[in-house]
Structure formats: C-alpha cells, structure tokens
Amino acid sequence: MVSALPSHNVPTHQRLTRRSALLGTLGLLALPASHLAAAATPATSQPSAVWPHASQVPGGIARLSLGPAAARPLAHAGEVPLLVVGDVLEWTALVGIPLAAAPGEASITVQTEDGGQRQIAYTVAPRRYREQRLKVAPRTVDLSPEDEARHERERAHQAAVMTAFSQPWPQDLRMRAPVPGRRSSSFGLRRVFNGQARNPHSGMDIAAATGTPVLAPLPGRVIDTGDYFFNGNTVWLDHGGGLLTLYCHLSAIDVKTGDLLKTGERLGAVGATGRATGPHLHWGVMLNRAMVDPALFLAD
Ligand SMILES: [Zn+2]
C-alpha cells in the first residue's frame, strides 16, 4: 500500500537531516523532556512499523500529515475528534473513513497553535465491495415487534459506547490477531440476508472453533459487554484516541466493564451467539466512530 506521507519517499538519511533542521527551527531545547525523548529516538519516528496501513477508500484509513508543532494538535472530522500520532517534528491524523462515505473530496479541521483553524483536504477513492448472499434464521431478518424494540434499544446503547474518546493515546497501533485462524476478507461485503439487502459487513470474520480464546490485540480498557440481538455476546475495548475494537458472537465473556487488558490477555471465547451462521469471531475496529478494515492494523 502506498503511504500518504511524502516524507516516506525520501531516504532515511535525508529524513534525519530534515529532522535535525526542524529541531533547530523549533527551538526544541525549550520543550519538556518528554518531547525531546520522542524527537530524539529515530525508531519511534518510523511510522510504517507502528501505524496502520493507509487506504483512502470507504472503510479505509487516511494518514494526513499535520506538520510540526510543539504540542499534539487537535483535529476533527466534522464534530468527531481524531487520533493524532507522531511527535513535535511531524504530527499525523489517522482518519477512519466510513463504509458509507461518498468517493470524492473530504476534509478534516485542525486547530492551529494561534487558536485558529485550518482545513486539510484529501480524496476518498471509490471501492466497490463484493456482494455476499447468506441464509439465516428468518426471525433474524424479519424482526418481530419485540425484537425490533430490543434492537432499537441496543442500537442506541451501542451508539453511545462508540463515542468513547479517551487517553492515554495509543502508542503501538499494529495489532496481533485476536484469535489464530483463517481470516476471511469479508470486510465491506454488501450483505443480502435471505434475499434482503442489509448493512454492509463492517468487520473481519475469523473462523475458529467454539471455545477458542479471544485475546486483546493491543492494551485496552473494557468499555462495554452485553448479549445483543445481532452481535450476540459482545465485548468492546477502548485503546485510546477514539480507537475501539469489538468482539461478537462470543460463547463466553471473561471480562467486565472497567477491566484493563494487556496485549494478549483473554477477554472471552469464540462462539456463535446472535445472528451467526456458525462459530467464528466477528472482529471490528473503529476509528473516529467509523468501522474500518481490521486488516489495515494487523502486524503481519
Ligand atoms: Zn462478521
């Protein structure tokens, strides 16, 4: 995948020269020690190793350079705050692009150090995802009035969960797969259940036997658990900066809201609860309230 950041196209020694020049112009000696540490360690400024891949399509991620600044800039897509990573020499906004986004021009707003605002434009390229036709229990497609009311309550509850935007900011953004197994390329599929068009598939399905442990792909805090009509037994993790992950159809939930998990800690087990055609993990990754392709975050 092609990086959106022009600085990746220049050789490392030129980047370092540019960094040294910027260190001078920024007057880094006046900055707190934590900033100096971040700026002085070249390893932390090799973004490809720790950031998700860029893919400027619906369901993808835009990596937009915000340039140098003494403090991490605030950036928004509409009203939604964005994940900003990097250091004093170059900050970068990682922007989740919703599956429903229209191809064409889009922009974010960045607060400037003098209290003003500037716009940064980017282009969303079109991407046509394949269609997938599935047969499931009729009651999970044509909902009874009771199920419809339940789903509406759960939808509103989960919409509130999705607004989480916490700190600390995530450090390493590359994730390990939450379960081993065959990862389908099912993200974004336009889904037709029992002949009826429904929302596109907004996560990655990983085939695994019921009971297979599901492990946190990054450090995170449990911000919601529940048994939901479509998603079945579900866990939401908050990794900071508006980066959330979602685990559905679990046979067991082993954590509770407020728990802090390290990378690789168990949160539950694979199952087939909710609307599922068989045991698998449905894994979702959300950035600035947009479900994006989890494959962009996988380390391998
Ligand atoms: Zn799924």
Side-chain angles (χ1 to χ4, degrees):
M1 256 161 262
V2 178
S3 163
L5 295 174
S7 62
H8 295 165
N9 300 329
V10 298
T12 305
H13 68 273
Q14 285 182 26
R15 277 218 304 279
L16 291 174
T17 306
R18 181 173 152 262
R19 291 178 71 82
S20 311
L22 277 162
L23 281 166
T25 55
L26 279 167
L28 262 183
L29 289 176
L31 290 167
S34 60
H35 285 138
L36 278 174
T41 311
T44 61
S45 60
Q46 298 293 319
S48 314
V50 294
W51 292 358
H53 297 289
S55 173
Q56 288 187 200
V57 298
I61 293 170
R63 289 173 21 170
L64 306 178
S65 176
L66 309 183
R72 190 186 307 254
L74 293 175
H76 289 80
E79 299 295 303
V80 182
L82 295 171
L83 175 54
V84 175
V85 294
D87 59 38
V88 293
L89 296 185
E90 185 175 35
W91 299 101
T92 297
L94 301 178
V95 186
I97 305 170
L99 271 168
E105 290 302 305
S107 68
I108 65 169
T109 308
V110 184
Q111 236 155 287
T112 54
E113 285 177 280
D114 60 8
Q117 285 192 341
R118 63 191 170 109
Q119 303 280 321
I120 295 180
Y122 64 101
T123 304
V124 179
R127 166 135 189 210
R128 181 127 178 109
Y129 290 98
R130 284 180 298 116
E131 183 182 278
Q132 182 183 39
R133 304 184 83 85
L134 293 166
K135 275 209 92 63
V136 293
R139 60 170 280 276
T140 65
V141 179
D142 294 303
L143 273 57
S144 69
E146 294 76 23
D147 287 340
E148 188 67 52
R150 173 186 168 188
H151 170 57
E152 192 47 43
R153 282 195 306 276
E154 294 176 354
R155 198 194 55 71
H157 169 74
Q158 302 224 28
V161 171
M162 292 172 198
T163 64
F165 191 90
S166 73
Q167 289 178 11
W169 298 88
Q171 297 296 317
D172 190 345
L173 294 167
R174 286 298 184 92
M175 301 185 186
R176 53 173 285 175
V179 295
R182 189 173 49 79
R183 297 170 203 153
S184 70
S185 55
S186 60
F187 178 84
L189 292 182
R190 293 173 296 122
R191 288 203 144 168
V192 181
F193 287 101
N194 301 356
Q196 299 188 46
R198 289 293 183 266
N199 285 336
H201 189 240
S202 60
M204 173 190 282
D205 289 341
I206 306 177
T210 296
T212 305
V214 178
L215 312 175
L218 282 182
R221 178 190 296 273
V222 178
I223 53 167
D224 190 60
T225 67
D227 176 13
Y228 300 118
F229 185 78
F230 288 119
N231 290 345
N233 288 323
T234 296
V235 172
W236 281 92
L237 297 185
D238 175 4
H239 306 287
L243 178 64
L244 313 180
T245 55
L246 166 72
Y247 307 83
C248 301
H249 311 308
L250 303 174
S251 58
I253 294 174
D254 301 324
V255 291
K256 58 183 188 315
T257 299
D259 286 354
L260 285 172
L261 301 184
K262 298 190 186 79
T263 303
E265 270 193 280
R266 178 182 168 127
L267 61 91
V270 171
T273 54
R275 183 168 69 185
T277 51
H280 71 280
L281 176 68
H282 173 100
W283 180 34
V285 175
M286 176 168 265
L287 192 56
N288 52 273
R289 301 181 205 170
M291 284 292 187
V292 296
D293 188 351
L296 298 173
F297 285 85
L298 286 173
D300 49 273

